[in-house]
Amino acid sequence: MEFDIAVIPGDGIGPEITGEAVKSLEAVGRKFGHGFSFQYVDMGGCAIDKYGVPLPEETLNICRESDSVLLGAVGGPKWDTLPGSLRPEAGLLGIRAGLGLYANLRPAVLYRALKGACPLKPELTDDGFDILFVRELTGGMYFGARGRKKTDGGEAAFDTEQYSVFEIERIGRVAFNLARQRGKKLCSVDKANVLESSRLWRETIHRLKEEYPDVACTDMLVDNAAMQLVRNPGQFDVIVTSNMFGDILSDEASMITGSIGMLPSASLGEGSFGLYEPIHGSAPDIAGQNRANPIATILSAAMLLRVSLKLEAEADALERAVQKVLDSGLRTADIMSEGCTVLGTAEMGAAVRAALDEG
């Protein structure tokens, strides 16, 4: 089979980690007889430098014409003084909206080999954990009205949190259906004791759960959810929540898996098209030093294979290769522990491909 993949290397470590993910997909193609065509496009800070905007129209058009999109990371201090609409992150928000991607899936899995890198007490992680965050991606405060105004107390700034029933139902159905495929347990996280938008969120999820009697659905306030993630992460299976809460909680979960460099993600809309990226940032302080962990991006490529291209066996093989490398004691610096061997970005990517080839 032949597939067209748009690749957005982005900024900082983005080109390094997407390079290893592309090589992994090519290795999958050789092993299983598929062909991948990669078209590289600009977004983020590099696009600002070249074109003056974070998301060129050509980039968006090429992504729309592709089977899926692989993204590295965008942003960095170089562009921090630009207006909000011209910062690299505006490109990220723009491509999500432009491609109609409203559901962000972020799996947080504690690998047995990385239990020593988890900062929690060993007794809290004896059974491991496998949590899937379902984050609403195109609503809430990140897309609401914002601005600054003059007040008697001086300049004030505002950001608006807003959700419609349609948006909540749409992400809710994604979460309920995924819960059906896993442990049939869903936790909806909100701040309904304070925020009106969260009260609507909770009311809508409660109505929706009547359609899914086989799924046990509970509510949890976001501050309690943050505490429970470090108190007993194994209690969670699927978590559905708003854009901002999902952003924060999934980053917290990444640290209890050992490193933010381990977590992939998929951003989906209607149908199978998706954008795949690690959840971490561009880490400009280590860019170009062969120190970044490429595993989250390689696992994002595995999600691309499974979700968008429907290549289940190929995705399984790539994920098993990552597991084999970790079980053998190979590590990047961010997940290094005593008795293991530290590798650079390129060497870790090569190790995963070697494990894939060995089967």
Side-chain angles (χ1 to χ4, degrees), residues 65-148:
E65 294 167 0
S66 302
D67 292 309
S68 60
V69 182
L70 182 66
L71 168 65
V74 298
K78 176 181 179 181
W79 305 280
D80 280 352
T81 58
L82 294 176
S85 62
L86 292 178
R87 290 181 59 158
E89 294 78 8
L92 193 56
L93 298 179
I95 199 169
R96 291 168 180 169
L99 297 177
L101 308 175
Y102 62 84
N104 185 229
L105 311 185
R106 294 187 168 190
V109 179
L110 179 61
Y111 286 89
R112 184 179 297 106
L114 293 183
K115 286 184 66 174
C118 176
L120 302 183
K121 295 178 180 179
E123 58 266 28
L124 298 178
T125 58
D126 281 346
D127 296 327
F129 56 82
D130 180 352
I131 307 169
L132 178 60
F133 288 86
V134 181
R135 169 191 170 193
E136 201 289 322
L137 204 56
T138 57
M141 193 174 295
Y142 291 1
F143 285 86
R146 66 190 62 185
R148 298 192 181 194

Side-chain angles (χ1 to χ4, degrees), residues 117-231:
C118 176
L120 302 183
K121 295 178 180 179
E123 58 266 28
L124 298 178
T125 58
D126 281 346
D127 296 327
F129 56 82
D130 180 352
I131 307 169
L132 178 60
F133 288 86
V134 181
R135 169 191 170 193
E136 201 289 322
L137 204 56
T138 57
M141 193 174 295
Y142 291 1
F143 285 86
R146 66 190 62 185
R148 298 192 181 194
K149 60 184 179 180
K150 300 295 184 181
T151 69
D152 293 340
E155 187 178 35
F158 64 92
D159 299 276
T160 306
E161 173 84 358
Q162 178 174 303
Y163 271 108
S164 67
V165 169
F166 168 76
E167 291 171 314
I168 302 167
E169 285 186 344
R170 184 171 63 174
I171 194 66
R173 292 187 190 282
V174 171
F176 273 106
N177 286 323
L178 287 168
R180 271 183 168 170
Q181 300 169 24
R182 290 168 51 99
K184 300 186 185 301
K185 187 168 64 171
L186 176 65
C187 179
S188 175
V189 173
D190 58 40
K191 190 62 176 171
N193 59 335
V194 175
L195 301 178
E196 194 62 35
S197 58
S198 278
R199 294 185 187 111
L200 180 64
W201 180 285
R202 184 171 292 202
E203 292 166 9
T204 305
I205 293 294
H206 281 195
R207 285 197 301 272
L208 198 58
K209 72 179 182 181
E210 296 177 5
E211 301 177 22
Y212 299 86
D214 54 324
V215 176
C217 180
T218 58
D219 306 302
M220 189 173 290
L221 296 175
V222 64
D223 40 0
N224 186 27
M227 291 187 289
Q228 293 299 326
L229 276 171
V230 295
R231 178 181 175 272

Side-chain angles (χ1 to χ4, degrees), residues 42 44 115 192 210 222 243-244 298 334:
D42 293 315
K115 286 184 66 174
E210 296 177 5
V222 64
N243 204 340
M244 183 172 66
I298 292 171
D334 58 313

